[in-house]
Amino acid sequence: MVSFEKYIYPIRGKLRFETDQMEDLNKCYKYGNAVKLGKTEWCLIVATECSPYTQNQKCFSIFLKSLYNYDLAETISGQFCVYILKNSKPEKARRTKFVMNEKCTGIYGFPNFLKWDELMNDGYVENGKIVIEAVLSIEVEQIFNPKSTFFECRPNSEDLKVMLEPKEEGCQIKSGRIIQEVEMAKLKDMVFSETIVIDGISWRVGYHKEGTNGIGFLFLCNENLQNLWWRVEAAAEIHIKSRLHPNVNISFNVPPKLFLGSRSYGSFYDIWDFLMDPESGYLSVGKILVEIRIDVRKKYGFECPQKPIRKMTDSVILIDGEEFHVSRSLLSHHSSVLCDLFTGTPDIPNFLFDEISKELFVKFLELVHDWKTEIDEKNIEKLLKCLNLLEADECIKLCDNLMVSMEIEDEAKIYRLIQNYNLPKFEAKHLNTQQMPESPNEPYYSYVKRYPKLPNVLRPTGEFQFEFVEKTREMLEDPEMEHIGNEVLLYLSRKSNLLKNMCSRVFFKEFSDPLDMVVFHFEDGKSFYASKQILAQFSQHFMREFYGPKYKGNDNEIKISDVKSEDFEMFLTFIYRPAKEVTEKNLQILYILAHKYSAPKLIEKCEHFVIKTEKLSFLEKCEYSKKYQDTYLVYSCHNYRAQNLSKVKRENFLNEISKVETIFSLSVGLLSTGLAFYFTRK
């Protein structure tokens, strides 16, 4: 039994490009379909170019493109091998290494892969079609956070892509062209093309002068469609035709972009003076000839009902001039200070913070969303001070988990951190103290008791008044009920419409909007209360259920019959308490439910545990790999097998022997029982 951590890389995958429109390769770069490999997307780009290495003869070029915006210190490197299929067999294979990062996000490949005449005449084009494949091998991958931003309202475009689930037929590229003479003198104002329809989607392009030397192109999609749920992924090519030389164009690529909710996308190029020069050959009678090709790559959401988009973020926090769109329920669950703020001001959507820097607040949000955050000796003390100020105990636990693997040379700082903050794992590492085991029955939902405020905040009237106050006091004062906020809130929510409206004023360790409440009922009679916002932040299933286009108005109560109540409570605990760790005891249940409810962070935790643990055999890890097909687990098993073939064969052999021994012992046991029964009857 061994950890597979060092066997995760390389990760290998295949990219493909095919086209039956060979004449288009003479005009502009062409993108293949994007493929997700590892944490990012990749595609092939092909084009025709004149290369000085082939005496300026026209050549066929193939490149690798990473569709990712790299931040500082993020990098991916590896190798890729590209080839052309000839009679369904790979030919002309060539290999190169690549490095992608913030400074080097260009394309890697072969600008003179093959001479054009050789491509066209040597059997590579079959029935007017060419097929190119490439094997991509990622060897180093340092990607820290998802590119979803805290600065925009959610659901954002990435959330909607998840919720709408593109149909397969939308992945077939369908194209349309706009050819138009554009009068340059009129471009002081926006000039629009005629409208064309591609696969049922309307498009038009606007032209205008940008600054002193720029010409801008504005793409407008589905201007008159009222449904806000639709999404279209499209790429475009812009060709400005020479009037003197028919085969000479100025060409630009607009890489794949996501059009959503009638939004437009624009780009501009500094070519105005060049176009206006009569000797350039592009201007005729004050006009240029523009050809624009639009490729619709994916479309989805057109069949969705005409419903408004429910918001997963319901408040805005302003820090250092930046707006952060946040979920009140999620933040208040992790911070008692924010809980008090939101509960005391339920009708105020915007807040100004001046005690916390923008950088530290981003770190706090990364911890709240259970994203990987970069902490080091320089920023850890400031971060812990910020979390302590916010009373964010769960986030401090997450920091404690991260600090175990962090090296701090300053001993004074180590003792200061241990003295000032509750860091049991960090303390156990540096002081060799005994760490208290985590309570396996710690509830997912707890509240903070604030007795003096309770009667003043909750003032029900009528027949429920006496029963409500007495029952609430009785539950709150019972020491055995100290952490059972779930049952208390459930009791309140069932009492009356009045009390449902008052639930947001209960001082639980969570801001509770009645509209955000959902109750799960199970066949054994148990019920669990949870926040829709919190569930949607961590589960794509619940994001679609509560905020997708098919959400129901009566989704405040859900009956679950195919999951045990204790298993679902464990799932809720890991969503509400991201500092909890997966163990061999809870792995099987959590892995099943993480996939059932599409919880990416929990899937990642389970996958990483299987990879890292030494308590599972190779065969047991392979079973999880086959069952769930999670990328890093699949490749770690594959790479371990490739590098330790003799060990794997030995383990398989011993496993088969153990099966035979088991069958033999059962057979012997059955035979002994039969003989004993026979002789007893005799």
Side-chain angles (χ1 to χ4, degrees):
M1 296 186 184
V2 64
S3 171
F4 282 9
E5 277 189 293
K6 66 178 183 180
Y7 296 102
I8 294 175
Y9 297 95
I11 296 175
R12 295 182 179 88
K14 186 176 287 187
L15 307 177
R16 185 180 176 93
F17 174 90
E18 59 181 271
T19 183
D20 55 4
Q21 298 175 345
M22 298 298 295
E23 69 280 359
D24 286 345
L25 297 180
N26 290 311
K27 298 177 181 179
C28 208
Y29 284 73
K30 308 295 293 184
Y31 287 77
N33 285 337
V35 174
K36 190 173 190 299
L37 190 62
K39 297 180 181 178
T40 59
E41 287 189 323
W42 305 81
C43 73
L44 290 176
I45 300 178
V46 301
T48 57
E49 298 179 327
C50 290
S51 170
Y53 299 103
T54 56
Q55 291 75 47
N56 289 321
Q57 290 183 339
K58 188 164 69 170
C59 293
F60 184 63
S61 304
I62 305 175
F63 303 100
L64 172 70
K65 176 68 175 177
S66 173
L67 303 177
Y68 183 79
N69 296 321
Y70 293 84
D71 288 338
L72 188 65
E74 290 186 322
T75 185
I76 297 179
S77 62
Q79 301 182 50
F80 90 105
C81 176
V82 65
Y83 50 85
I84 304 178
L85 292 184
K86 182 178 180 180
N87 298 323
S88 302
K89 296 180 180 179
E91 293 277 350
K92 299 289 183 181
R94 295 178 67 178
R95 184 185 302 272
T96 186
K97 294 183 178 181
F98 67 88
V99 178
M100 304 284 186
N101 51 43
E102 185 192 29
K103 295 181 180 179
C104 184
T105 57
I107 54 179
Y108 284 79
F110 309 97
N112 54 335
F113 185 85
L114 196 64
K115 292 181 181 179
W116 182 260
D117 291 341
E118 186 180 350
L119 174 74
M120 298 300 293
N121 301 323
D122 286 5
Y124 296 104
V125 180
E126 299 179 13
N127 300 320
K129 183 177 181 180
I130 186 172
V131 179
I132 300 160
E133 290 184 347
V135 177
L136 177 64
S137 177
I138 297 175
E139 298 170 354
V140 175
E141 187 179 38
Q142 294 178 341
I143 302 295
F144 302 125
N145 283 324
K147 288 301 176 187
S148 298
T149 174
F150 302 116
F151 300 95
E152 60 186 23
C153 186
R154 293 188 66 187
N156 56 28
S157 60
E158 292 301 314
D159 296 326
L160 296 181
K161 283 171 67 176
V162 169
M163 289 195 282
L164 294 171
E165 294 181 306
K167 301 297 181 184
E168 194 62 35
E169 59 268 23
C171 297
Q172 300 297 318
I173 296 177
K174 297 187 178 180
S175 303
R177 278 186 170 87
I178 296 173
I179 302 176
Q180 181 178 5
E181 283 194 325
V182 180
E183 189 172 345
M184 302 292 278
K186 292 184 177 181
L187 296 189
K188 293 180 181 179
D189 300 316
M190 186 74 71
V191 175
F192 290 98
S193 71
E194 62 179 0
T195 299
I196 64 169
V197 177
I198 306 171
D199 196 20
I201 302 165
S202 65
W203 294 87
R204 65 174 180 151
V205 178
Y207 316 91
H208 64 101
K209 186 175 182 181
E210 186 80 29
T212 57
N213 189 39
I215 180 170
F217 298 86
L218 185 69
F219 293 84
L220 296 100
C221 176
N222 281 331
E223 291 179 89
N224 299 320
L225 188 63
Q226 298 302 313
N227 181 6
L228 295 176
W229 289 99
W230 65 266
R231 295 295 179 268
V232 173
E233 186 178 308
E237 302 166 4
I238 301 169
H239 306 286
I240 303 176
K241 304 280 191 175
S242 171
R243 303 303 184 110
L244 298 179
H245 308 285
N247 294 325
V248 177
N249 304 322
I250 298 177
S251 299
F252 303 101
N253 271 93
V254 179
K257 296 290 179 183
L258 189 70
F259 293 82
L260 60 157
S262 299
R263 292 186 187 175
S264 57
Y265 171 78
S267 58
F268 73 93
Y269 308 95
D270 290 324
I271 55 172
W272 183 274
D273 291 343
F274 176 74
L275 294 175
M276 294 299 290
D277 184 356
E279 295 183 2
S280 68
Y282 288 92
L283 194 67
S284 176
V285 197
K287 298 179 181 179
I288 59 172
L289 181 61
V290 179
E291 178 184 341
I292 296 177
R293 170 176 166 146
I294 300 172
D295 293 334
V296 175
R297 305 164 68 88
K298 296 179 184 177
K299 67 170 189 176
Y300 37 98
F302 287 86
E303 304 301 322
C304 294
Q306 300 288 333
K307 285 186 177 181
I309 294 179
R310 276 184 173 179
K311 290 185 178 180
M312 293 163 54
T313 49
D314 52 7
S315 193
V316 177
I317 293 177
L318 184 66
I319 302 178
D320 297 341
E322 294 281 3
E323 290 185 350
F324 293 86
H325 290 262
V326 299
S327 157
R328 291 188 178 209
S329 292
L330 181 62
L331 263 61
S332 63
H333 173 70
H334 286 274
S335 165
S336 299
V337 171
L338 294 179
C339 174
D340 288 348
L341 176 67
F342 294 143
T343 306
T345 54
D347 301 322
I348 299 176
N350 301 335
F351 300 90
L352 175 65
F353 280 17
D354 54 9
E355 296 183 7
I356 301 173
S357 70
K358 181 177 69 175
E359 291 73 22
L360 289 176
F361 193 70
V362 167
K363 294 288 184 188
F364 166 66
L365 292 179
E366 288 174 349
L367 292 168
V368 162
H369 288 82
D370 200 15
W371 289 1
K372 289 183 180 177
T373 185
E374 291 297 300
I375 62 172
D376 53 37
E377 187 175 356
K378 295 179 181 178
N379 66 17
I380 185 59
E381 197 161 14
K382 291 181 180 178
L383 178 58
L384 287 172
K385 184 177 180 180
C386 168
L387 298 177
N388 203 45
L389 179 68
L390 292 170
E391 296 182 24
D393 297 340
E394 192 70 18
C395 292
I396 293 176
K397 286 183 183 179
L398 282 168
C399 285
D400 188 27
N401 293 343
L402 295 171
M403 290 169 66
V404 171
S405 58
M406 188 172 70
E407 296 298 329
I408 299 179
E409 297 180 359
D410 186 347
E411 290 192 7
K413 177 179 277 191
I414 292 174
Y415 287 107
R416 190 164 63 247
L417 292 174
I418 292 173
Q419 183 178 4
N420 294 337
Y421 306 103
N422 182 24
L423 304 168
K425 293 181 180 179
F426 183 73
E427 180 179 347
K429 174 186 175 181
H430 289 280
L431 301 184
N432 295 320
T433 57
Q434 187 69 30
Q435 184 181 336
M436 294 293 292
E438 188 180 46
S439 171
N441 299 318
E442 186 180 14
Y444 73 93
Y445 191 98
S446 61
Y447 67 87
V448 178
K449 293 191 290 186
R450 302 184 189 275
Y451 301 114
K453 295 185 179 181
L454 184 63
N456 297 326
V457 175
L458 285 168
R459 298 185 180 182
T461 57
E463 59 181 297
F464 292 107
Q465 182 173 5
F466 178 77
E467 179 190 358
F468 169 78
V469 173
E470 290 303 312
K471 180 68 174 177
T472 304
R473 284 187 180 279
E474 180 183 316
M475 296 180 76
L476 289 175
E477 292 173 0
D478 185 348
E480 295 184 0
M481 300 285 287
E482 183 177 359
H483 293 296
I484 313 184
N486 180 41
E487 283 78 356
V488 178
L489 204 71
L490 188 61
Y491 167 80
L492 300 180
S493 68
R494 285 176 171 174
K495 275 310 184 182
S496 71
N497 290 330
L498 170 64
L499 295 187
K500 285 183 180 180
N501 293 331
M502 300 299 290
C503 281
S504 62
R505 305 301 179 89
V506 181
F507 284 86
F508 289 88
K509 196 174 182 180
E510 182 174 315
F511 169 84
S512 301
D513 183 343
L515 297 177
D516 183 46
M517 291 168 55
V518 59
V519 184
F520 296 97
H521 300 290
F522 293 84
E523 291 187 337
D524 60 1
K526 289 186 178 180
S527 297
F528 298 112
Y529 160 86
S531 158
K532 295 176 187 176
Q533 288 183 359
I534 293 178
L535 291 173
Q537 300 280 350
F538 293 92
S539 162
Q540 294 173 356
H541 169 84
F542 288 117
M543 185 195 296
R544 287 190 288 265
E545 186 88 5
F546 300 133
Y547 297 94
K550 297 179 182 179
Y551 69 82
K552 301 175 183 178
N554 59 343
D555 57 2
N556 293 335
E557 297 196 24
I558 296 176
K559 293 182 179 179
I560 296 180
S561 59
D562 57 347
V563 178
K564 293 181 181 179
S565 61
E566 57 268 28
D567 294 348
F568 192 77
E569 184 177 17
M570 183 189 298
F571 173 73
L572 288 178
T573 301
F574 274 78
I575 284 181
Y576 269 74
R577 299 185 179 280
K580 289 187 71 68
E581 296 182 349
V582 177
T583 66
E584 63 274 10
K585 293 182 179 179
N586 58 33
L587 171 65
Q588 189 171 4
I589 293 171
L590 289 175
Y591 221 158
I592 291 172
L593 295 184
H595 275 277
K596 177 180 177 63
Y597 294 111
S598 301
K601 296 305 299 182
L602 186 52
I603 290 173
E604 184 181 321
K605 285 183 178 181
C606 293
E607 179 186 23
H608 184 68
F609 176 81
V610 175
I611 291 171
K612 186 177 179 180
T613 185
E614 297 182 4
K615 297 182 179 180
L616 295 174
S617 68
F618 169 75
L619 294 177
E620 289 173 319
K621 293 185 179 187
C622 283
E623 285 299 315
Y624 282 110
S625 170
K626 292 175 183 177
K627 185 174 183 179
Y628 298 114
Q629 292 295 308
D630 293 324
T631 301
Y632 295 99
L633 180 56
V634 167
Y635 280 99
S636 63
C637 289
H638 173 79
N639 293 334
Y640 178 83
R641 184 199 303 271
Q643 298 177 39
N644 300 273
L645 193 57
S646 59
K647 289 183 180 179
V648 170
K649 287 182 177 180
R650 182 174 179 273
E651 187 171 338
N652 285 335
F653 176 74
L654 293 175
N655 183 61
E656 293 299 323
I657 290 294
S658 66
K659 288 181 181 178
V660 171
E661 288 177 346
T662 302
I663 294 172
F664 180 75
S665 62
L666 287 172
S667 301
V668 170
L670 289 172
L671 180 61
S672 301
T673 304
L675 289 172
F677 178 75
Y678 173 78
F679 286 113
T680 302
R681 294 291 299 270
K682 294 285 284 185

